[in-house]
Amino acid sequence: MNECCRAGPCEEMFDSRTAQADLDEYLEDGLGPLESRMVGELCSLGAIEGARVLEIGGGIGAIQAELLQSGAAVGEVIELVAAYRAYAGRLAEQRGFADRTSWRVHDILADPSAVEAADVVVMNRVVCCSADGLELAAAAAALTRRALVLSYPRSTRLTRFVAATQRAAYRLFGRQYRAFAWPEEQLKQAAAGGGLVEASRGGGLIWRYLVMLRPV
């Protein structure tokens, strides 16, 4: 797909400046604490060695980069925002795995059959950006052969209120982007519907992550 029908809302929030900032931050400081814990969980579960990695909504592909440098064989990043493409390419070149990764704009909900399944699927801070967050979790699970890890804001009265306020304000000002704080158990159930079982979960006061495995 050359264009993505769901890209518009995300392009209001994420652009080439965001992509440049993400690249600079990763090259200087590495992954953030939450993302580092997610990678550590996958490594401790033995899911990485020789794996094909799929990072959905991966931006510059920083988590995929870490996994490729930790034993994964090949990777793919799927995004809605085309502005990330050049910066993902720079990261792959600088880290020496350009021949083992690919990057493309694609809407997995519009055409999931066009995405190859992967041993490890990553969806970091993605479900909170879409009214289709639960459907995205289910689609990611269906593409998972070994392990799925996804992160999301903790669903509390406060975070749900903040998200609802954002949606109301953006609607008032004619903007398309909407934020959501999906309940953790609903995300788990969506992934479990794809045949996965929970392996672990964790995180901090605001951001959480969930690791799901496909039973052997």
Side-chain angles (χ1 to χ4, degrees), residues 123 125-137 150-156 159-160 163 167 178-188 190 201 206-208 210:
M123 198 157 56
R125 307 185 195 231
V126 172
V127 295
C128 54
C129 298
S130 175
D132 301 311
L134 300 179
E135 289 81 358
L136 282 166
L150 61 147
S151 66
Y152 41 86
R154 185 188 294 270
S155 181
T156 65
T159 57
R160 291 193 297 272
R167 293 196 298 272
R178 303 288 186 267
F180 298 85
W182 297 104
E184 191 169 63
E185 288 306 313
Q186 289 186 19
L187 291 167
K188 176 185 173 180
R201 66 175 78 183
I206 302 298
W207 288 96
R208 301 277 298 165
L210 177 66

Side-chain angles (χ1 to χ4, degrees), residues 3-156:
E3 297 181 358
C4 178
C5 62
R6 300 174 205 267
C10 291
E11 288 172 341
E12 290 182 349
M13 302 296 291
F14 310 105
D15 55 19
S16 59
R17 290 173 297 180
T18 309
Q20 180 69 70
D22 288 350
L23 179 60
D24 291 344
E25 181 177 5
Y26 176 67
L27 291 176
E28 182 174 344
D29 300 322
L31 293 178
L34 181 81
E35 290 76 15
S36 294
R37 290 182 65 181
M38 291 163 63
V39 169
E41 289 273 8
L42 291 171
C43 291
S44 68
L45 291 168
I48 303 307
E49 194 63 33
R52 165 177 154 76
V53 175
L54 173 65
E55 188 171 2
I56 300 169
I60 62 169
I63 294 180
Q64 176 221 217
E66 290 289 321
L67 296 177
L68 287 173
Q69 294 170 102
S70 299
V74 295
E76 179 180 15
V77 178
I78 290 177
E79 248 298 337
L80 295 181
V81 181
Y84 282 106
R85 185 191 307 272
Y87 301 91
R90 291 180 197 174
L91 174 57
E93 289 288 347
Q94 290 191 39
R95 290 300 168 91
F97 55 79
D99 60 335
R100 295 195 288 135
T101 186
S102 61
W103 193 104
R104 61 178 169 135
V105 170
H106 184 73
D107 183 345
I108 67 166
L109 293 184
D111 188 8
S113 65
V115 183
E116 181 185 350
D119 300 298
V120 176
V121 178
V122 178
M123 198 157 56
N124 183 40
R125 307 185 195 231
V126 172
V127 295
C128 54
C129 298
S130 175
D132 301 311
L134 300 179
E135 289 81 358
L136 282 166
L143 292 167
T144 300
R145 292 194 292 246
R146 294 184 195 169
L148 165 68
V149 59
L150 61 147
S151 66
Y152 41 86
R154 185 188 294 270
S155 181
T156 65

Side-chain angles (χ1 to χ4, degrees), residues 12 161-179:
E12 290 182 349
F161 173 77
V162 170
T165 301
Q166 181 275 331
R167 293 196 298 272
Y170 274 35
R171 189 177 299 111
L172 178 65
F173 289 104
R175 301 189 66 179
Q176 301 178 70
Y177 181 82
R178 303 288 186 267

